[in-house]
Amino acid sequence: MSVRTVNRGRRVVLVVYLVVIAIAGLMGAILGATRPDIVDPVLFGVVQLPASPLGMAAYGMITVGIAIGVLLGAVAYVAARFDTHEPGGE
Amino acid sequence: MAGQQLALTVLMGLVLVGVAALLTRIEDWRQYTPLAGGSAVAVGEDTGYGHREKPSGVIRWLTTVDHKDIGILYGVFALLALAIGGLMVMVMRFELITPASDVVSAQFYNALLTSHGITMLFLFGTPIIAAFGNYFVPLLIGADDMAFPRINAIAFWLLPPGALLIWGGFLVPGIAPAQTSWTMYTPLSVEQAHVGADLMLLGLHLTGVSATMGAINFIVTIFTERGEDVNWANLDIFSWTMLTQSGLILFAFPLLGSAIVMLLLDRNLGTLFYAVGEGGGPILWQHLFWFFGHPEVYILVLPPMGLISYIIPRFSGRKLFGFKFVVYSTLAIGVLSFGVWAHHMFATGIDPRLRASFMAVSLAIAIPSAVKTFNWITTMWNGRIRLAAPMLFSIGFISNFIIGGVTGVFLAAIPIDLILTDTYYVVGHFHYIVMGAIAFAVFAGIYYWFPIFTGKMYQRTLAKWHFWLSMIGTNVTFFAMLLLGYMEMPRRYASYDMVTVGPLEAQTLLHQAATVGAVILLVGQVIFVWNVVSSWLDAPKVTDTDPWDLKQSGLFTREFGWHADRLTAADGGEQQTVTDGGEKHEATDSPQPGDTEA
């Protein structure tokens, strides 16, 4: 298995990861723009962010990015340590 | 008047007898053996692979008990239902472009809404899964056919009359279609006097009977008809999900049937099962309905998850990571799915202690779903990914499933649910699952096995157009709905000019965006239909015994072994024609035991 083809798997997964984070950011930005009256972004219950499109986008991207990023880190760790597949064999 | 009716009845009886007599003259049905194998390639095509016993033309399809033929019938039926349900929702989306009700009446909108839900869940979702199951489970487990071929045929043939009854209100002039929404909540569904609602309930009952018969067949087939070299350890993941799904159907659908009969009795014979005061009240209906309704979600999603678990390894060049855990998570979802139903009823005023326990189980069921997602991504992580159409749809499934799943976890929390219940947030969430995930898996399965059930290859460029338009359309439409929900836009409204919550301008804009997304989706599906039909009719025959190069990664499986055998036999090879089911032959590409795992 070449390095390039292995990287393709990782690249696709990372692109999906980034797309999902971007969607979270977009949702935050739109909510911040349209309903600043009902949002109050406090990152992890500690860091107060402004109720603006930027603040809400940052809130969405950081929260989702870290939550799913932890799982993605676990994927990378498990794949490196416990994946026993032999290419071409069963 | 009475004389006329009597004459009509006698005339109809004579016509039926005439039709029966005609059929017996055309073909002698009894000469066909139920296990007569055969190819399910294009209608009437002779591949020389053991279907000489079958009649030709329409009679073949009306009388077949071959699991592959029935799979094709299920598939065609389900795709027709998808088209009808899709066109219904297009009318609704156009209605919602402006706040006022100016394309169709509110009553007609409600009827479309009801019918769209029922059609997609019962006439597209369950049947398309049965299509894959019927065609491929016997091939994958080394069975000659389903355990009960005739029951299999009956189960399918209950669906068309069921569909006609469900759509009866639209088809029969003079009666209004049901306007109850797919949840059929009482007292609305008891008091709504439309005959269309009775027809719909009867049709729904028939589809339930059909699903139950199919489920019994799958369970018995997987338990008793497996090949000698197929055991529980190497049973493929798709069959595992079909088995679990069938178990869920067995416990869920009969309950729906009973609840529907009680509703019909309340409507027509004056019983009081769901009556306020004397009877169990509207909450009884909701408990019974959702005890069926939530497992139904997993009935619809488990086999698609099986398809994804099956397809991703084959385009990643490696076995499914953590196969056992994917099976365990399937079983865990199956069990837990019966313990979450009241999360649909958080806002009904049920006991807060009950709500808390249902919230806990609802949050817990996210864990096995996350386990599956984890395993799919880990499989891809070190994989040699090939972005063919089945893989694109599988990756789209994962992306949409994450968004649909995460938005669902929030709904499982009581305080959030109380705010978002009955808003478009809910609609956006579950459509990310049913369209973005389930339908995507269905498309992945259709493209992956296209060479098997048509003997042809689809047009790759069109398939990629189909994927990208579906992906963009899904995300535009349902993302807009999530935002509409955050803006407190209530669901099930034909018009929203009177809605006083949220900024109307932004809501209108989002509704328009959702409609644009729906149009993009529609264009994608038109391309899909064109691709399937034109490829099936005109594409050259597949001559490659391994069209996906599965041998290279050691993931060649039984169904493609059967495909290879068919091609060898059609080429005039010396192979013996046998009943279908992928039994092993000499010098063939049939896989070895254990190959099905992954």
Side-chain angles (χ1 to χ4, degrees):
Chain A
M1 192 187 307
S2 72
V3 174
R4 198 185 65 80
T5 51
V6 168
N7 282 344
R8 191 169 195 193
R10 294 177 187 181
R11 203 166 58 232
V12 168
V13 172
L14 286 172
V15 166
V16 172
Y17 172 68
L18 292 176
V19 166
V20 170
I21 291 177
I23 289 174
L26 181 64
M27 175 169 280
I30 295 175
L31 283 178
T34 53
R35 301 303 303 271
D37 52 321
I38 61 163
V39 293
D40 179 25
V42 185
L43 201 57
F44 306 116
V46 179
V47 184
Q48 178 72 50
L49 294 173
S52 63
L54 198 63
M56 281 299 289
Y59 178 79
M61 290 172 77
I62 293 171
T63 312
V64 172
I66 289 180
I68 301 182
V70 168
L71 288 173
L72 191 58
V75 164
Y77 175 76
V78 169
R81 294 285 295 269
F82 301 105
D83 193 354
T84 54
H85 179 80
E86 295 291 328
E90 275 291 296
Chain B
M1 190 67 184
Q4 277 180 340
Q5 282 189 346
L6 189 65
L8 267 176
T9 309
V10 171
L11 187 66
M12 190 57 73
L14 287 175
V15 169
L16 287 175
V17 171
V19 169
L22 190 67
L23 285 175
T24 53
R25 284 183 67 85
I26 293 172
E27 294 290 344
D28 180 7
W29 306 20
R30 287 171 187 268
Q31 67 176 310
Y32 317 132
T33 53
L35 292 182
S39 155
V41 291
V43 180
E45 189 176 344
D46 182 11
T47 62
Y49 194 70
H51 72 168
R52 288 194 190 88
E53 297 89 343
K54 288 184 181 178
S56 58
V58 176
I59 297 291
R60 166 187 172 187
W61 296 99
L62 292 178
T63 61
T64 184
V65 289
D66 179 347
H67 68 98
K68 295 187 299 304
D69 286 357
I70 292 174
I72 294 277
L73 286 171
Y74 266 115
V76 170
F77 173 86
L79 290 177
L80 278 174
L82 175 68
I84 291 169
L87 291 174
M88 284 173 172
V89 85
M90 287 312 297
V91 177
M92 292 160 62
R93 285 302 340 157
F94 281 115
E95 166 59 53
L96 292 168
I97 288 177
T98 57
S101 176
D102 42 21
V103 175
V104 291
S105 69
Q107 289 73 26
F108 193 67
Y109 179 93
N110 290 344
L112 289 174
L113 178 139
T114 305
S115 218
H116 166 72
I118 300 251
T119 300
M120 290 305 199
L121 296 176
F122 296 93
L123 303 179
F124 164 66
T126 318
I128 197 73
I129 291 167
F132 285 119
N134 267 291
Y135 204 110
F136 291 105
V137 165
L139 294 181
L140 289 168
I141 67 171
D144 290 335
D145 201 311
M146 295 291 283
F148 307 119
R150 287 193 174 85
I151 288 182
N152 205 18
I154 295 169
F156 170 75
W157 285 108
L158 286 177
L159 279 179
L164 289 177
L165 285 168
I166 286 170
W167 299 326
F170 294 100
L171 301 175
V172 181
I175 63 167
Q179 299 167 33
T180 58
S181 157
W182 87 281
T183 50
M184 299 169 283
Y185 278 172
T186 57
L188 175 73
S189 58
V190 173
E191 291 168 4
Q192 210 169 67
H194 310 126
V195 178
D198 290 313
L199 295 182
M200 184 191 78
L201 289 169
L202 288 168
L204 203 52
H205 198 56
L206 273 188
T207 64
V209 173
S210 159
T212 310
M213 290 170 98
I216 292 169
N217 219 343
F218 280 120
I219 291 171
V220 177
T221 303
I222 294 173
F223 265 89
T224 65
E225 301 289 320
R226 296 195 311 272
E228 285 177 6
D229 53 345
V230 179
N231 54 41
W232 292 116
N234 65 13
L235 183 66
D236 67 281
I237 188 65
F238 178 64
S239 299
W240 267 113
T241 54
M242 284 301 299
L243 180 65
T244 313
Q245 182 236 23
S246 300
L248 296 185
I249 288 178
L250 206 56
F251 285 96
F253 266 92
L255 183 106
L256 175 72
S258 313
I260 284 177
V261 169
M262 290 194 284
L263 186 55
L264 278 167
L265 293 174
D266 268 16
R267 285 177 58 84
N268 296 295
L269 297 179
T271 55
L272 300 167
F273 291 111
Y274 305 117
V276 181
E278 298 93 332
I283 291 293
L284 173 63
W285 168 262
Q286 293 198 24
H287 276 301
L288 293 179
F289 179 79
W290 286 116
F291 187 83
F292 147 80
H294 202 84
E296 165 71 0
V297 174
Y298 294 99
I299 286 167
L300 289 173
V301 84
L302 279 178
M305 283 173 161
L307 286 174
I308 296 301
S309 305
Y310 195 79
I311 291 170
I312 280 181
R314 277 152 188 84
F315 292 89
S316 301
R318 57 204 298 104
K319 285 197 294 182
L320 180 63
F321 180 82
F323 178 85
K324 272 187 199 169
F325 292 96
V326 179
V327 173
Y328 294 153
S329 65
T330 302
L331 298 173
I333 288 175
V335 172
L336 289 174
S337 71
F338 280 100
V340 298
W341 80 86
H343 70 215
H344 296 272
M345 302 162 60
F346 281 162
T348 57
I350 58 171
D351 191 318
R353 289 163 297 183
L354 270 180
R355 283 199 315 202
S357 65
F358 277 99
M359 177 174 104
V361 184
S362 301
L363 291 171
I365 205 168
I367 295 169
S369 304
V371 167
K372 285 176 182 293
T373 311
F374 186 89
N375 283 286
W376 295 326
I377 294 176
T378 312
T379 305
M380 287 164 56
W381 185 254
N382 282 334
R384 288 168 292 159
I385 287 184
R386 294 177 290 159
L387 290 176
M391 188 61 172
L392 284 173
F393 274 102
S394 300
I395 295 170
F397 174 103
I398 294 177
S399 172
N400 293 333
F401 184 69
I402 291 173
I403 299 170
V406 169
T407 50
V409 171
F410 288 108
L411 278 178
I414 298 167
I416 300 177
D417 181 87
L418 291 178
I419 293 171
L420 293 175
T421 191
D422 264 337
T423 68
Y424 263 83
Y425 182 90
V426 182
V427 185
H429 150 67
F430 74 73
H431 276 90
Y432 259 107
I433 300 293
V434 290
M435 178 63 214
I438 294 172
F440 271 48
V442 165
F443 294 135
I446 289 174
Y447 285 124
Y448 179 62
W449 281 320
F450 200 80
I452 290 190
F453 56 73
T454 64
K456 311 285 180 72
M457 182 52 94
Y458 60 83
Q459 297 158 68
R460 291 176 175 82
T461 310
L462 289 182
K464 288 190 176 168
W465 272 99
H466 175 215
F467 168 72
W468 285 110
L469 289 171
S470 299
M471 190 68 186
I472 293 167
T474 296
N475 276 282
V476 170
T477 305
F478 305 123
F479 183 72
M481 288 188 183
L482 290 175
L483 285 168
L484 275 168
Y486 278 131
M487 294 182 191
E488 301 161 76
M489 176 76 203
R491 62 191 284 209
R492 301 194 179 108
Y493 276 36
S495 57
Y496 49 97
D497 46 356
M498 83 303 281
V499 172
T500 52
V501 288
L504 186 61
E505 232 173 73
Q507 286 172 337
T508 308
L509 199 64
L510 285 168
H511 265 307
Q512 289 165 349
T515 303
V516 170
V519 171
I520 296 172
L521 262 175
L522 178 68
V523 174
Q525 305 330 300
V526 170
I527 290 176
F528 167 68
V529 172
W530 171 258
N531 193 1
V532 168
V533 173
S534 65
S535 303
W536 200 332
L537 294 177
D538 295 334
K541 284 187 180 176
V542 172
T543 52
D544 189 350
T545 55
D546 182 14
W548 297 119
D549 295 328
L550 300 174
K551 287 177 191 159
Q552 197 182 347
S553 49
L555 293 167
F556 194 73
T557 36
R558 284 173 174 275
E559 80 278 26
F560 279 101
W562 174 82
H563 168 71
D565 289 350
R566 180 176 61 176
L567 288 178
T568 314
D571 277 353
E574 292 183 357
Q575 217 159 356
Q576 192 185 352
T577 301
V578 292
T579 51
D580 45 297
E583 287 187 15
K584 285 206 166 59
H585 320 293
E586 289 175 18
T588 69
D589 296 316
S590 296
Q592 298 306 306
D595 283 358
T596 48
E597 183 180 331

